[in-house]
Amino acid sequence: MKFTERFNELLKISGKTQVEIAKEINVSKQCVTDYKSGKSYPSLETLCLMCKALETSADYLLGITDEY
């Protein structure tokens, strides 16, 4: 799924660790690991925090657009 690919891409570009991003979006490191592997997906609230932390749009993360 696009979300998993793009989340991994943006996390790498950001230079943030899984622990850092987990703290910023108020989830556990395990949740971030699950998002990275496609095992689970964030709630709407978490998605919004994720977009802010990774400086991107929800449309980009969800694969709706190619512009972030």
Side-chain angles (χ1 to χ4, degrees):
M1 178 170 194
K2 287 275 188 188
F3 171 81
T4 303
E5 293 170 21
R6 291 186 173 182
F7 178 62
N8 283 310
E9 170 196 358
L10 291 170
L11 189 57
K12 185 176 181 179
I13 290 169
S14 75
K16 296 178 183 182
T17 67
Q18 287 185 247
V19 171
E20 290 170 332
I21 198 74
K23 286 180 182 177
E24 285 188 55
I25 64 174
N26 300 318
V27 298
S28 68
K29 181 185 174 287
Q30 184 60 51
C31 280
V32 173
T33 299
D34 291 347
Y35 300 154
K36 286 186 67 177
S37 69
K39 186 176 179 181
S40 68
Y41 300 96
S43 67
L44 184 56
E45 180 181 341
T46 301
L47 179 65
C48 291
L49 292 170
M50 194 178 284
C51 290
K52 187 181 250 185
L54 296 172
E55 299 178 9
T56 192
S57 69
D59 284 354
Y60 181 76
L61 265 178
L62 297 173
I64 296 168
T65 184
D66 290 332
E67 295 179 32
Y68 67 95

